[in-house]
Short mmCIF file of all heavy atoms in Angstrom, two decimals:
data_model
loop_
_atom_site.label_atom_id
_atom_site.label_comp_id
_atom_site.label_asym_id
_atom_site.label_seq_id
_atom_site.Cartn_x
_atom_site.Cartn_y
_atom_site.Cartn_z
N ILE A 200 16.94 57.03 -41.08
CA ILE A 200 17.86 56.12 -40.42
C ILE A 200 19.30 56.41 -40.72
O ILE A 200 20.18 56.47 -39.85
CB ILE A 200 17.50 54.67 -40.75
CG1 ILE A 200 16.13 54.27 -40.13
CG2 ILE A 200 18.58 53.71 -40.25
CD1 ILE A 200 15.63 52.91 -40.50
N ILE A 201 19.55 56.70 -42.05
CA ILE A 201 20.89 57.02 -42.41
C ILE A 201 21.38 58.33 -41.74
O ILE A 201 22.50 58.39 -41.28
CB ILE A 201 20.95 57.18 -43.99
CG1 ILE A 201 20.82 55.82 -44.61
CG2 ILE A 201 22.31 57.82 -44.43
CD1 ILE A 201 20.64 55.86 -46.12
N SER A 202 20.53 59.35 -41.72
CA SER A 202 20.89 60.61 -41.13
C SER A 202 21.16 60.45 -39.62
O SER A 202 22.08 61.06 -39.08
CB SER A 202 19.78 61.66 -41.34
OG SER A 202 19.62 61.93 -42.73
N SER A 203 20.31 59.67 -38.98
CA SER A 203 20.46 59.52 -37.51
C SER A 203 21.64 58.63 -37.09
O SER A 203 22.10 58.69 -35.96
CB SER A 203 19.19 58.92 -36.90
OG SER A 203 18.96 57.62 -37.44
N THR A 204 22.18 57.84 -38.02
CA THR A 204 23.30 56.97 -37.68
C THR A 204 24.60 57.31 -38.39
O THR A 204 25.66 56.76 -37.98
CB THR A 204 22.98 55.51 -38.06
OG1 THR A 204 22.74 55.44 -39.45
CG2 THR A 204 21.72 55.00 -37.34
N GLN A 205 24.57 58.29 -39.28
CA GLN A 205 25.73 58.59 -40.11
C GLN A 205 26.91 59.07 -39.23
O GLN A 205 28.05 58.64 -39.42
CB GLN A 205 25.41 59.59 -41.12
CG GLN A 205 26.50 59.77 -42.17
CD GLN A 205 26.02 60.59 -43.31
OE1 GLN A 205 24.89 61.10 -43.35
NE2 GLN A 205 26.88 60.85 -44.26
N ASN A 206 26.67 59.92 -38.31
CA ASN A 206 27.73 60.49 -37.46
C ASN A 206 28.34 59.43 -36.52
O ASN A 206 29.50 59.47 -36.21
CB ASN A 206 27.21 61.68 -36.62
CG ASN A 206 26.85 62.85 -37.52
OD1 ASN A 206 27.40 63.00 -38.64
ND2 ASN A 206 25.92 63.65 -37.05
N ILE A 207 27.50 58.50 -36.14
CA ILE A 207 27.99 57.48 -35.24
C ILE A 207 28.75 56.37 -35.91
O ILE A 207 29.86 56.00 -35.49
CB ILE A 207 26.77 56.84 -34.44
CG1 ILE A 207 25.99 57.90 -33.69
CG2 ILE A 207 27.21 55.74 -33.55
CD1 ILE A 207 24.70 57.47 -33.03
N ASN A 208 28.21 55.88 -36.96
CA ASN A 208 28.80 54.76 -37.67
C ASN A 208 29.57 55.13 -38.96
O ASN A 208 30.05 54.22 -39.66
CB ASN A 208 27.74 53.70 -37.98
CG ASN A 208 26.98 53.23 -36.77
OD1 ASN A 208 27.64 53.03 -35.71
ND2 ASN A 208 25.71 52.99 -36.89
N ASP A 209 29.62 56.39 -39.26
CA ASP A 209 30.24 56.85 -40.50
C ASP A 209 29.69 56.17 -41.70
O ASP A 209 30.41 55.66 -42.60
CB ASP A 209 31.77 56.65 -40.42
CG ASP A 209 32.47 57.40 -41.50
OD1 ASP A 209 31.96 58.50 -41.96
OD2 ASP A 209 33.59 57.02 -41.92
N THR A 210 28.35 56.01 -41.75
CA THR A 210 27.69 55.33 -42.83
C THR A 210 27.81 56.08 -44.15
O THR A 210 27.67 57.30 -44.18
CB THR A 210 26.18 55.21 -42.48
OG1 THR A 210 26.03 54.57 -41.23
CG2 THR A 210 25.46 54.38 -43.57
N THR A 211 28.11 55.48 -45.21
CA THR A 211 28.21 56.07 -46.51
C THR A 211 26.85 56.26 -47.08
O THR A 211 26.13 55.30 -47.22
CB THR A 211 29.07 55.15 -47.48
OG1 THR A 211 30.35 54.93 -46.91
CG2 THR A 211 29.22 55.82 -48.83
N PRO A 212 26.50 57.48 -47.47
CA PRO A 212 25.16 57.75 -48.02
C PRO A 212 25.04 56.94 -49.32
O PRO A 212 25.95 56.68 -50.04
CB PRO A 212 25.22 59.25 -48.30
CG PRO A 212 26.28 59.82 -47.44
CD PRO A 212 27.32 58.68 -47.37
N PRO A 213 23.79 56.61 -49.65
CA PRO A 213 23.56 55.86 -50.93
C PRO A 213 23.85 56.75 -52.17
O PRO A 213 23.73 57.93 -52.11
CB PRO A 213 22.07 55.51 -50.86
CG PRO A 213 21.45 56.58 -49.96
CD PRO A 213 22.51 56.86 -48.96
N THR A 214 24.27 56.12 -53.22
CA THR A 214 24.52 56.83 -54.47
C THR A 214 23.22 57.19 -55.10
O THR A 214 22.18 56.65 -54.74
CB THR A 214 25.35 55.98 -55.45
OG1 THR A 214 24.55 54.84 -55.81
CG2 THR A 214 26.69 55.49 -54.82
N LEU A 215 23.25 58.06 -56.08
CA LEU A 215 22.04 58.47 -56.79
C LEU A 215 21.43 57.22 -57.48
O LEU A 215 20.18 57.05 -57.48
CB LEU A 215 22.33 59.53 -57.83
CG LEU A 215 21.12 60.06 -58.65
CD1 LEU A 215 20.08 60.62 -57.75
CD2 LEU A 215 21.59 61.06 -59.67
N PHE A 216 22.29 56.38 -58.06
CA PHE A 216 21.78 55.19 -58.75
C PHE A 216 21.02 54.26 -57.74
O PHE A 216 19.94 53.79 -57.99
CB PHE A 216 22.92 54.43 -59.35
CG PHE A 216 22.49 53.11 -60.05
CD1 PHE A 216 21.82 53.11 -61.23
CD2 PHE A 216 22.75 51.89 -59.39
CE1 PHE A 216 21.41 51.97 -61.86
CE2 PHE A 216 22.34 50.70 -60.00
CZ PHE A 216 21.69 50.73 -61.26
N GLN A 217 21.62 54.06 -56.55
CA GLN A 217 20.96 53.25 -55.54
C GLN A 217 19.68 53.89 -55.11
O GLN A 217 18.63 53.13 -54.91
CB GLN A 217 21.87 53.09 -54.30
CG GLN A 217 23.12 52.23 -54.57
CD GLN A 217 24.12 52.29 -53.43
OE1 GLN A 217 24.28 53.29 -52.75
NE2 GLN A 217 24.83 51.15 -53.22
N MET A 218 19.65 55.22 -54.97
CA MET A 218 18.43 55.85 -54.60
C MET A 218 17.35 55.77 -55.64
O MET A 218 16.15 55.58 -55.28
CB MET A 218 18.72 57.37 -54.30
CG MET A 218 17.57 58.10 -53.64
SD MET A 218 18.01 59.76 -53.17
CE MET A 218 19.15 59.38 -51.80
N LEU A 219 17.72 55.79 -56.92
CA LEU A 219 16.77 55.67 -58.01
C LEU A 219 16.14 54.25 -58.05
O LEU A 219 14.96 54.06 -58.29
CB LEU A 219 17.41 56.03 -59.33
CG LEU A 219 17.70 57.43 -59.56
CD1 LEU A 219 18.44 57.68 -60.94
CD2 LEU A 219 16.42 58.30 -59.60
N ILE A 220 17.06 53.25 -57.78
CA ILE A 220 16.56 51.86 -57.72
C ILE A 220 15.55 51.78 -56.62
O ILE A 220 14.44 51.15 -56.76
CB ILE A 220 17.68 50.84 -57.52
CG1 ILE A 220 18.63 50.86 -58.73
CG2 ILE A 220 17.17 49.48 -57.22
CD1 ILE A 220 17.93 50.41 -60.01
N TYR A 221 15.86 52.30 -55.47
CA TYR A 221 14.97 52.21 -54.28
C TYR A 221 13.69 52.97 -54.62
O TYR A 221 12.59 52.47 -54.33
CB TYR A 221 15.62 52.84 -53.06
CG TYR A 221 14.67 52.93 -51.89
CD1 TYR A 221 14.35 51.80 -51.10
CD2 TYR A 221 14.03 54.13 -51.58
CE1 TYR A 221 13.44 51.86 -50.04
CE2 TYR A 221 13.14 54.24 -50.53
CZ TYR A 221 12.85 53.09 -49.75
OH TYR A 221 11.96 53.13 -48.73
N ALA A 222 13.81 54.17 -55.28
CA ALA A 222 12.63 54.95 -55.60
C ALA A 222 11.71 54.18 -56.57
O ALA A 222 10.50 54.22 -56.41
CB ALA A 222 13.08 56.28 -56.27
N ALA A 223 12.28 53.55 -57.58
CA ALA A 223 11.51 52.77 -58.54
C ALA A 223 10.78 51.61 -57.87
O ALA A 223 9.56 51.38 -58.17
CB ALA A 223 12.38 52.25 -59.65
N LEU A 224 11.49 50.89 -56.99
CA LEU A 224 10.86 49.82 -56.26
C LEU A 224 9.78 50.31 -55.35
O LEU A 224 8.71 49.67 -55.26
CB LEU A 224 11.94 48.97 -55.45
CG LEU A 224 12.95 48.27 -56.31
CD1 LEU A 224 14.02 47.66 -55.42
CD2 LEU A 224 12.27 47.16 -57.11
N LEU A 225 10.06 51.40 -54.64
CA LEU A 225 9.02 52.02 -53.78
C LEU A 225 7.83 52.46 -54.60
O LEU A 225 6.69 52.25 -54.18
CB LEU A 225 9.70 53.22 -53.07
CG LEU A 225 8.70 54.00 -52.12
CD1 LEU A 225 8.13 53.06 -51.07
CD2 LEU A 225 9.41 55.19 -51.52
N GLY A 226 8.09 52.97 -55.76
CA GLY A 226 7.02 53.42 -56.67
C GLY A 226 6.15 52.24 -57.11
O GLY A 226 4.94 52.37 -57.17
#
């Protein structure tokens, strides 16, 4: 979703910390 909307909405990619939090929760 981020990749498909980034060019249109100039979405800021998540930081590594945010990604790790998401990964832990997903895990």
Side-chain angles (χ1 to χ4, degrees):
I200 291 174
I201 290 169
S202 296
S203 62
T204 60
Q205 190 170 1
N206 292 334
I207 298 173
N208 301 323
D209 194 27
T210 305
T211 302
T214 64
L215 181 59
F216 177 75
Q217 291 172 326
M218 190 172 290
L219 288 176
I220 294 297
Y221 175 79
L224 293 174
L225 176 61

